[in-house]
Amino acid sequence: MENKLSQSLSASYNPLVSIITPVLNGIKFLEPCLLSVLNQSYPHIEHIFVDGGSTDGTLEMLNSYQAKYPHRIRFISEPDKGIAEAWNEGWRMASGEIFGELGSDDMYEPDAIQTVVEFFRANSDAYFAFGECNHIDEKGNLIGRALTKDFDLDEAIDDVHHINCPSAFYRRQVIEKVGFMDASLPYAHDLDYWIRVGKLFTLYPIKKVLASFRIHKD
């Protein structure tokens, strides 16, 4: 009976997923980013944009999409001190149970969020998971791929960074226990955070491409 009840509860687990996107003058690649979230096969998603004061049409596009999808897209625009501070603000705004961060020039695979939710459904004791990630160029051409392997804390501390930010997802409890990003760091905020998470939680690899990370001159 307990096993049947557990399976029933697992099957009914349809959490809200909050995707955070820091952005500053990101109009060039913003629409593909937006659409990759709106077109996900999993429906329970909010996409939160934290804008640092764009002047290139980014805000106009966000306003337009928010008007069309008021329950799915939210944003604020105010000066900040960089991506980590914007990420932290997005966490404060979010209502979800599962979190991800997507760069304004990056994209998700169509079933990425469904894959992540199914992973957490099947692994109720897991709090952090990361998938594989395509590397694409300015035109969207595939130029490489970051594969997954078991997370090794010692490797991460030695600056071997094999978790691509767009393919990482975690439960709210991770933020509650680990705290916010260290906005005082000049760079590598995500690596610093994965190390802090890895000291308290197991980071599980998913052997599937979840996102595309765009590499371009800007």
Side-chain angles (χ1 to χ4, degrees):
M1 176 66 76
E2 288 185 3
N3 286 338
K4 288 183 178 179
L5 178 59
S6 177
Q7 291 172 4
S8 175
L9 289 173
S10 178
S12 66
Y13 180 65
N14 292 293
L16 178 66
V17 178
S18 296
I19 304 302
I20 313 301
T21 295
V23 60
L24 177 63
N25 293 327
I27 190 65
K28 186 173 183 179
F29 302 109
L30 184 60
E31 193 160 39
C33 168
L34 272 160
L35 293 176
S36 79
V37 177
L38 286 171
N39 293 334
Q40 285 294 303
S41 57
Y42 183 78
H44 306 299
I45 304 172
E46 64 173 5
H47 196 175
I48 297 172
F49 291 84
V50 184
D51 178 78
S54 293
T55 58
D56 66 341
T58 291
L59 296 179
E60 288 78 4
M61 180 174 286
L62 290 176
N63 267 310
S64 175
Y65 272 93
Q66 186 184 58
K68 294 177 185 177
Y69 305 97
H71 302 297
R72 299 198 62 184
I73 294 175
R74 300 161 55 200
F75 75 93
I76 62 168
S77 180
E78 58 188 23
D80 58 47
K81 297 178 181 178
I83 192 169
E85 187 174 285
W87 203 339
N88 289 340
E89 183 59 32
W91 281 346
R92 293 186 189 98
M93 292 174 61
S95 303
E97 297 177 47
I98 295 174
F99 292 79
E101 193 269 350
L102 186 67
S104 62
D105 50 0
D106 302 331
M107 298 179 294
Y108 284 134
E109 292 296 298
D111 61 348
I113 307 302
Q114 184 71 45
T115 297
V116 169
V117 170
E118 288 176 358
F119 174 84
F120 284 122
R121 278 184 192 149
N123 300 275
S124 59
D125 59 342
Y127 290 90
F128 190 109
F130 61 100
E132 298 177 359
C133 187
N134 285 334
H135 291 172
I136 60 175
D137 65 15
E138 188 163 343
K139 296 181 179 180
N141 299 314
L142 181 66
I143 57 176
R145 177 171 295 169
L147 303 177
T148 57
K149 63 177 183 176
D150 290 343
F151 180 79
D152 186 288
L153 183 60
D154 289 333
E155 280 187 355
I157 290 172
D158 288 338
D159 202 25
V160 178
H161 189 191
H162 58 267
I163 297 179
N164 280 115
C165 199
S167 290
F169 296 86
Y170 34 92
R171 298 184 193 261
R172 177 176 287 275
Q173 290 93 327
V174 169
I175 302 169
E176 291 173 345
K177 192 162 187 177
V178 177
F180 290 106
M181 286 268 174
D182 185 350
S184 69
L185 294 174
Y187 55 86
H189 310 93
D190 49 351
L191 175 58
D192 173 72
Y193 202 74
W194 308 154
I195 291 170
R196 289 162 59 195
V197 174
K199 292 179 179 180
L200 299 174
F201 295 93
T202 300
L203 281 61
Y204 292 92
I206 296 175
K207 302 295 184 178
K208 184 174 182 178
V209 174
L210 300 181
S212 291
F213 178 83
R214 195 184 302 271
I215 298 171
H216 55 96
K217 62 183 176 60
D218 296 329

